[in-house]
Amino acid sequence: MNATNESSEPSLFQKVDHYIAQLVAPETEPMQAATQRILAQGWGDQSISPVQGKMLEVMARACHTKRILELGTFGAYSTLWLAQALPENGYLLTIESSTQHALVAKQTIETSPKASCIDLRVGRAMDILHELIQQHVEPFDFIFIDADKPPYKEYMELAIRLSRPGTLIVCDNVIRGGKILDPHATDEKVLGVQRLNTFLQTCTTVTATILQTIGSKEYDGMVLAVVNE
Ligand code: DHB
Ligand code: MG
């Protein structure tokens, strides 16, 4: 199943997504500009949708989030949504390995009303996470994993080490149009999320579920995992 039809007519999922977005997830001007900046680069729009952005903001607010960690900034579209959940003295660390993505993200972050709270670091998430652990940084209240898919399980394990009981960890793209059902998958992205999803089956450190996501984007899903006491 795919949320996008063969025809140019929007699917029911797309129409309903648009309806929800109009009601409760209107984009700010910086968000619209962020998408234009991404498309102008000729990059596929891998950002989350407005409705998904609002969902992240709602969840981050529910955690009374003061410190957010994001892996995979891309064009900083999701960063803008997450930053909306922060108090004035909040902190959002977002990590991007691509210098090209980071250059565009930097322009977008400068337009955020919460720009002073946002720390964009360019480098491999794996290296930066290990540094943060060594530095014994304060735990994060909300963590969004949306970086390269092959090491998703390792990112989850490191995210747990940077968390506290009650921290919510969300991982994007864990259903991949249903390709995760294929036991013979060879795509490294599919294999990466399969490893994460299987890890959650026996991981006792978090209480987790997986939410299927449909709407204006491809059929996919997000892990929602809360760190146990
Ligand atoms: C891909 C990555 C993403 O973060 C996303 O939301 C969609 C697709 C990808 O690498 O294929
Ligand atoms: Mg993603």
Side-chain angles (χ1 to χ4, degrees):
M1 185 175 64
N2 197 314
T4 49
N5 279 340
E6 298 293 313
S7 69
S8 56
E9 171 74 6
S11 69
L12 180 60
F13 295 152
Q14 288 171 316
K15 286 185 202 161
V16 172
D17 205 59
H18 185 69
Y19 164 83
I20 300 169
Q22 295 273 318
L23 285 175
V24 297
E27 291 180 304
T28 61
E29 196 281 324
M31 290 171 184
Q32 290 172 349
T35 302
Q36 291 314 310
R37 226 171 262 124
I38 290 163
L39 297 178
Q41 295 291 325
W43 299 336
D45 188 8
Q46 290 183 3
S47 307
I48 55 169
S49 68
V51 173
Q52 290 173 335
K54 185 65 181 286
M55 185 182 77
L56 293 183
E57 182 190 344
V58 168
M59 291 191 296
R61 282 180 184 267
C63 301
H64 301 284
T65 303
K66 293 205 183 74
R67 288 171 58 81
I68 298 177
L69 172 63
E70 178 180 57
L71 311 187
T73 316
F74 188 49
Y77 180 84
S78 50
T79 316
L80 295 183
W81 279 105
L82 286 168
Q84 291 193 148
L86 285 176
E88 290 305 319
N89 62 347
Y91 176 69
L92 193 168
L93 173 58
T94 183
I95 301 173
E96 176 55 52
S97 65
S98 153
T99 47
Q100 283 177 307
H101 291 171
L103 273 172
V104 171
K106 189 168 174 289
Q107 291 175 39
T108 287
I109 288 167
E110 281 165 4
T111 67
S112 167
K114 295 279 172 58
S116 64
C117 299
I118 304 173
D119 182 6
L120 168 65
R121 283 196 214 167
V122 187
R124 289 183 64 234
M126 205 67 86
D127 299 338
I128 295 173
L129 294 179
H130 277 112
E131 279 166 30
L132 294 170
I133 291 166
Q134 275 175 0
Q135 292 162 0
H136 300 284
V137 297
E138 246 185 89
F140 292 90
D141 309 305
F142 188 93
I143 302 177
F144 182 47
I145 302 179
D146 194 17
D148 50 321
K149 314 307 169 197
Y152 251 34
K153 169 179 166 281
E154 288 72 27
Y155 288 155
M156 172 61 83
E157 290 173 314
L158 295 171
I160 290 168
R161 291 173 65 187
L162 289 162
S163 71
R164 56 161 174 80
T167 295
L168 188 60
I169 305 175
V170 179
C171 314
D172 197 21
N173 312 118
V174 301
I175 296 298
R176 311 200 67 85
K179 293 196 189 98
I180 39 80
L181 292 181
D182 180 3
H184 308 295
T186 53
D187 178 340
E188 283 300 325
K189 293 181 186 182
V190 174
L191 291 169
V193 299
Q194 282 176 330
R195 276 194 293 270
L196 168 68
N197 296 345
T198 309
F199 167 73
L200 294 174
Q201 190 175 24
T202 52
C203 176
T204 53
T205 323
V206 297
T207 301
T209 190
I210 300 176
L211 182 73
Q212 299 190 61
T213 56
I214 52 172
S216 63
K217 299 278 163 170
E218 295 277 297
Y219 167 47
D220 215 318
M222 289 193 193
V223 162
L224 311 180
V226 63
V227 177
N228 293 332
E229 295 292 330

